[in-house]
Amino acid sequence: MGVIKVIAGHLDALIGPGVMLLYPLYASIRAIESPSSLDDQQWLTYWVLYSLITLFELSTWKVLQWFPLWPYMKLVVCLWLVLPTFNGAAYIYENYVRKYVQIGTFVNTSYPEEQRRVLQMMSLDARKSVERYIEKHGLDAFERVVKAAEKEAKKH
């Protein structure tokens, strides 16, 4: 019974490094290598949030010493941020950060002024897709697609 009590007492120290550092490091490397940007969002957001938690912890460590449950609360929060079942970091990004941070306002200056204005009005995800299309097929192909879409819209 004493061994179980010791393990339970140090659960945060046993599981914490794997949950908070090793698995996110591994998943971040996989995200870098994958073609999708969704996992990049999850892990970049995780590292930002983990850094904020660590800064909070370092700046308030004298106060946190008085809360014996702090290491367990941190472990639970990090589990929620990390585990693929929850994807808490992506949830926080989508529901809180993305609303308030103006990211991606820069549009390549090689595009004509009218197209730059249109791209700036798009969401970041849509803009990435359009820019990838332009890179792959060229600006003329994009203009043809836009004209075809305008023509189709006028029909309806």
Side-chain angles (χ1 to χ4, degrees), residues 6 16 19-20 26 32 35 39 73-74 87 107 109 113 141 150 153:
V6 170
V19 168
M20 292 183 252
Y26 168 75
I32 290 169
D39 50 1
M73 292 182 337
K74 179 181 173 186
N87 275 343
V107 175
T109 55
E113 180 64 29
E150 288 173 347

Side-chain angles (χ1 to χ4, degrees), residues 83-142:
L83 290 177
T85 307
F86 305 111
N87 275 343
Y91 174 83
I92 288 176
Y93 179 80
E94 286 294 327
N95 293 296
Y96 298 103
V97 177
R98 197 172 207 174
K99 291 179 188 176
Y100 302 108
V101 178
Q102 185 77 16
I103 295 177
T105 57
F106 175 77
V107 175
N108 193 333
T109 55
S110 67
Y111 301 141
E113 180 64 29
E114 184 178 321
Q115 290 176 351
R116 278 201 318 245
R117 277 189 275 126
V118 170
L119 285 170
Q120 285 175 335
M121 289 187 282
M122 292 180 174
S123 73
L124 184 59
D125 296 331
R127 187 176 330 147
K128 283 181 187 177
S129 297
V130 168
E131 288 182 340
R132 270 189 244 126
Y133 183 85
I134 291 172
E135 277 181 26
K136 187 174 182 180
H137 301 288
L139 199 51
D140 294 334
F142 176 66

Side-chain angles (χ1 to χ4, degrees), residues 17-50:
V19 168
M20 292 183 252
L21 295 171
L22 293 177
Y23 177 72
L25 177 63
Y26 168 75
S28 297
I29 291 170
R30 286 189 53 140
I32 290 169
E33 296 299 323
S34 78
S36 172
S37 63
L38 292 174
D39 50 1
D40 297 351
Q41 175 184 309
Q42 158 70 17
W43 294 110
L44 285 170
T45 306
Y46 170 77
W47 289 114
V48 168
L49 293 171
Y50 181 75

